Amino acid sequence: MKERDIQTVFRDINKMVGIFELKLCKDNAIPFSAVKDHQRQALSQINADTGLFFKIPDSPIFTGSKTRFAVLKPFDCFHLANIPAYVVICWYQPRKYKRFYYIPIGTFLYEEQMSERKSLTQDRAREIAEEVMEG
């Protein structure tokens, strides 16, 4: 099971509206550093009045391709502000469960700052999550 594999499961079970950074954890804890600086910044901007403007890249299928684009884009760009933004951590146990913990970005950053640990445990994620879903 890889992070890309949980995207399909997440798509099928997600009932929340917002922006999501998905992480997969197969152990009891996930390092706070798993959420990279640029992801933290973007999630925080989307969750604030300032918002985030993003232009969807015009990506070719592959270098030298005669076809111009790999996939048709739904639109060129977007500007999102004051939208819920979450770090969603999937704790995975083979043949047992996939649990998705929706942690608001502000809560995630505060937890990292206040924690004596360098990682977030599944038990603590359960306590601070806004929502928990199983897939």
Side-chain angles (χ1 to χ4, degrees):
M1 175 72 61
K2 296 185 179 183
E3 192 173 301
R4 71 173 180 254
D5 299 324
I6 65 167
Q7 291 177 4
T8 302
V9 176
F10 179 78
R11 179 198 66 205
D12 293 342
I13 69 162
N14 179 52
K15 304 293 184 237
M16 304 276 287
V17 173
I19 302 299
F20 311 100
E21 175 56 37
L22 300 177
K23 297 295 176 190
L24 176 63
C25 184
K26 298 177 185 177
D27 297 319
N28 186 43
I30 187 167
F32 287 109
S33 62
V35 180
K36 304 299 182 205
D37 288 340
H38 71 282
Q39 295 168 330
R40 294 161 183 258
Q41 182 180 6
L43 290 169
S44 295
Q45 287 175 320
I46 288 168
N47 194 228
D49 290 338
T50 55
L52 173 78
F53 177 86
F54 185 79
K55 175 170 180 335
I56 300 171
D58 297 326
S59 303
I61 292 177
F62 53 87
T63 305
S65 171
K66 294 181 181 182
T67 304
R68 191 164 172 186
F69 302 108
V71 177
L72 295 176
K73 297 187 307 181
F75 42 80
D76 291 320
C77 56
F78 54 85
H79 182 204
L80 302 173
N82 297 313
I83 294 177
Y86 300 91
V87 175
V88 180
I89 304 168
C90 174
W91 259 274
Y92 170 72
Q93 289 284 321
R95 295 174 296 285
K96 291 187 180 178
Y97 62 80
K98 294 176 199 76
R99 288 193 185 117
F100 293 83
Y101 296 83
Y102 290 68
I103 303 170
I105 185 62
T107 303
F108 181 86
L109 296 174
Y110 181 78
E111 181 68 21
E112 179 182 30
Q113 182 181 4
M114 300 308 292
S115 179
E116 294 178 3
R117 298 177 51 96
K118 292 186 179 194
S119 60
L120 181 64
T121 65
Q122 185 174 7
D123 289 340
R124 184 63 182 149
R126 184 180 300 109
E127 292 173 14
I128 65 173
E130 186 174 297
E131 185 73 41
V132 178
M133 293 189 189
E134 286 211 27

